[in-house]
Amino acid sequence: MTHAVEIRDLHKYFGDNEVLKGIDFTVEPGQVVCVIGPSGSGKSTLLRCVNLLETPTKGKVFVNGRELTHPDADIDATRRQVGMVFQQFNLFPHLTALQNVMIAQQRVLNRSKAEAEIVARENLDKVGVADKCHEYPGKLSGGQQQRVAIARALAMNPALMLFDEPTSALDPELVGDVLAVMRKLAEEGMTMLVVTHEMGFAREVADRVVFMDGGVIVEDGTPAQVVGDPQQERTRSFLRRVLHPEG
């Protein structure tokens, strides 16, 4: 079976700073993999290398069996199979929620306006903001904006969804709505690679949890293994700080 994502010996330098130090990593179709770790550990850089928002210094990246890092790769064609949701929602402020979800469909997938609107409305409904379709981003809460951003990614019919700390910019009471949408996607079998600080979500929803620190993968296993019974002291000390911050 072809891996949804395969990363081989991935290195990434920013100047003299080596942020990723030889990552080997796979995600299988239908898996939910959560990547956890302290700030600066390379989690977001790893995610951004998967769809070449960051260009690896060395190594290979495959998505659904196609090598993105090959000099002759059709990066745009592969990127169309990959949805990405960022910390900041990156919605166009001058477009309504509906228009934000339609625009890439029309420009990238060449869907007609009518078809793009049908797909946009379906996905806005799926994430629970169908009633906000004619609102501009400035009128929406952070949680609503993030759900529109998820709808926008889903409207492109991706085979893989990347989430880069999708709840970190949200007020605490809005986090649950976004995580509920992600839970639903997981239940429907969407392949997801999620950088997150939400340990409850990682425990409940992930098939695998990857702990990164210092640009390397320290532990990789089931939530019960990595979060429940970590073997490495670096993992244990991180989880103590995250799960018991008052300790």
Side-chain angles (χ1 to χ4, degrees):
M1 184 171 65
T2 303
H3 302 298
V5 178
E6 183 180 3
I7 292 169
R8 298 182 193 164
D9 193 30
L10 184 67
H11 294 255
K12 177 63 182 177
Y13 283 86
F14 292 105
D16 294 331
N17 182 23
E18 189 177 16
V19 178
L20 298 176
K21 302 174 181 177
I23 301 286
D24 290 294
F25 179 72
T26 58
V27 179
E28 304 309 326
Q31 268 194 336
V32 178
V33 179
C34 285
V35 183
I36 64 172
S39 295
S41 59
K43 309 182 301 293
S44 291
T45 302
L46 171 64
L47 201 70
R48 293 169 71 87
C49 283
V50 172
N51 64 354
L52 260 55
L53 287 177
E54 297 288 355
T55 305
T57 308
K58 179 189 171 194
K60 294 183 177 182
V61 177
F62 298 82
V63 173
N64 291 330
R66 293 183 181 176
E67 186 190 344
L68 264 70
T69 40
H70 192 280
D72 299 328
D74 186 343
I75 294 169
D76 289 339
T78 304
R79 272 192 186 143
R80 284 197 282 274
Q81 300 178 23
V82 182
M84 185 149 187
V85 178
F86 301 86
Q87 295 178 39
Q88 304 299 334
F89 323 120
N90 294 344
L91 299 176
F92 293 113
H94 64 291
L95 300 180
T96 64
L98 184 66
Q99 290 167 334
N100 264 285
V101 182
M102 289 173 62
I103 187 168
Q105 296 184 64
Q106 292 173 270
R107 295 202 177 168
V108 178
L109 300 183
N110 295 316
R111 286 180 181 156
S112 68
K113 184 178 178 183
E115 185 185 1
E117 181 170 343
I118 290 168
V119 173
R121 287 183 182 276
E122 284 173 355
N123 282 288
L124 288 166
D125 183 52
K126 184 173 192 171
V127 301
V129 288
D131 58 328
K132 305 294 182 185
C133 66
H134 296 304
E135 299 281 3
Y136 290 91
K139 297 284 188 183
L140 302 177
S141 72
Q144 289 166 341
Q145 289 186 63
Q146 191 61 296
R147 285 184 280 159
V148 172
I150 293 172
R152 176 181 58 188
L154 291 174
M156 304 296 284
N157 299 119
L160 166 69
M161 286 284 283
L162 308 177
F163 292 87
D164 188 4
E165 299 192 28
T167 59
S168 65
L170 301 180
D171 293 331
E173 68 268 22
L174 303 176
V175 167
D177 291 340
V178 172
L179 292 180
V181 169
M182 294 171 65
R183 252 187 212 99
K184 185 176 169 188
L185 292 178
E187 288 166 4
E188 293 172 356
M190 175 62 75
T191 309
M192 296 161 61
L193 182 55
V194 185
V195 171
T196 186
H197 290 300
E198 298 290 340
M199 292 301 135
F201 179 83
R203 258 199 192 117
E204 294 165 33
V205 181
D207 298 297
R208 278 170 50 217
V209 176
V210 173
F211 173 66
M212 286 185 68
D213 193 17
V216 299
I217 292 175
V218 178
E219 290 202 47
D220 180 351
T222 66
Q225 291 167 334
V226 177
V227 181
D229 186 24
Q231 301 303 300
Q232 302 295 322
E233 178 53 36
R234 285 158 84 186
T235 317
R236 288 196 290 268
S237 64
F238 169 76
L239 289 169
R240 275 197 298 273
R241 289 198 306 274
V242 171
L243 298 174
H244 309 289
E246 70 288 343

